[in-house]
Amino acid sequence: MELIERYSYPQLEKVTYPSGARHYICPDSGRKLPSVTTIISSTADNKELREWRERVGDKKADEIKREAVGLGSLMHKHLESHILGVPRPGGNNYIRLMAERMADQIIQRGLPDVGEVWGSEVVVYAPELYAGTTDLIGLYKDRPAIIDFKTASKMRTRAMIDDYFHQLGAYGLAHDERYGTKIDTGVVFMVTRDCEYEAFIVEGTEFIDYKMRFLDRLELFLTK
């Protein structure tokens, strides 16, 4: 895996509201652009999430969410450090050790198929429309790809991660527009707390379709 800076990726200022919605400040106009995850969340069918919250109660749901976010952030930090060739996070408490083991699964089983890394934790944006941060951009099995790392309490099926593919499509669209690329591959490296690993790949015309379907969700978000 080789780190090659093919493109100059910007660092955009982020604004997070009490509701959890995140926006990025567009460097071209100063306008606040909604994040991809905010658009996806706002246009998703959250029925199952609401029912789960009702079952466990708000206090327990918030506790589980905080732990999941913390674990995911730490695993991402391990992976980013590995990719950039800098020391990985230390510590030996339960969450830190779990994050390290989960990251190791992606390092050992997913990243060997990444030949080039163009950027890690990359911000991409479509001027005046939206912005977001993708975990990795580069070559996956010799094809330009958008790659994201995901954690889960238990392994999901392909049908359960449709929103993730929309998310990858959004990043691909923004990258294509700004840098003149034609990215047609999206990859989700998913690992569970039990260190079960799976790579979900969407490519070709299917990935192009997810790009277009994200635009439909963007339109819905903007007209709400």
Side-chain angles (χ1 to χ4, degrees):
M1 184 173 62
E2 187 175 7
L3 183 60
I4 299 176
E5 296 182 359
R6 292 194 180 277
Y7 304 98
S8 178
Y9 296 115
Q11 295 293 321
L12 272 60
E13 181 183 351
K14 302 175 187 178
V15 179
T16 303
Y17 296 95
S19 64
R22 177 180 298 165
H23 285 66
Y24 292 76
I25 306 300
C26 179
D28 305 320
S29 65
R31 181 179 176 181
K32 294 178 182 177
L33 306 179
S35 71
V36 171
T37 51
T38 293
I39 294 168
I40 295 292
S41 177
S42 297
T43 57
D45 180 2
N46 293 314
K47 180 181 177 182
E48 290 187 7
L49 181 60
R50 291 194 299 270
E51 291 176 345
W52 169 76
R53 180 172 281 273
E54 289 174 0
R55 286 197 305 271
V56 303
D58 287 341
K59 183 177 180 180
K60 184 63 175 179
D62 289 341
E63 179 184 328
I64 293 172
K65 182 179 178 180
R66 282 194 300 271
E67 182 180 291
V69 169
L71 177 62
S73 297
L74 189 54
M75 187 193 78
H76 277 71
K77 188 62 179 177
H78 271 278
L79 290 166
E80 182 184 13
S81 298
H82 171 80
I83 291 164
L84 297 179
V86 300
R88 291 168 60 178
N92 58 4
N93 64 42
Y94 176 69
I95 293 296
R96 287 185 175 275
L97 291 174
M98 183 186 298
E100 181 179 357
R101 290 196 299 268
M102 292 169 74
D104 284 343
Q105 289 298 310
I106 293 177
I107 291 169
Q108 295 164 12
R109 303 175 67 180
L111 293 185
D113 287 322
V114 179
E116 288 184 6
V117 173
W118 300 344
S120 176
E121 293 297 314
V122 171
V123 175
V124 293
Y125 69 100
E128 305 306 309
L129 289 176
Y130 66 88
T133 303
T134 184
D135 297 329
L136 197 64
I137 298 179
L139 295 182
Y140 178 78
K141 295 185 177 180
D142 297 323
R143 300 181 67 168
I146 303 290
I147 302 169
D148 257 11
F149 312 132
K150 301 294 186 183
T151 62
S153 56
K154 61 181 180 179
M155 187 53 65
R156 302 182 187 183
T157 65
R158 188 180 181 88
M160 296 167 68
I161 62 170
D162 203 56
D163 282 351
Y164 292 163
F165 294 145
H166 284 92
Q167 186 178 356
L168 296 176
Y171 297 145
L173 269 174
H175 198 279
D176 289 348
E177 179 176 344
R178 185 161 181 81
Y179 302 104
T181 52
K182 294 182 179 179
I183 295 177
D184 68 349
T185 302
V187 182
V188 174
F189 292 144
M190 181 173 289
V191 62
T192 70
R193 296 186 177 204
D194 293 330
C195 290
E196 184 181 357
Y197 165 86
E198 187 71 49
F200 297 93
I201 304 164
V202 57
E203 57 190 349
T205 56
E206 186 181 15
F207 187 64
I208 294 171
D209 183 57
Y210 274 108
K211 290 179 178 180
M212 298 303 102
R213 289 165 63 184
F214 172 76
L215 290 179
D216 292 338
R217 295 181 74 159
L218 174 63
E219 182 178 4
L220 177 62
F221 175 82
L222 295 174
T223 55
K224 274 191 171 185

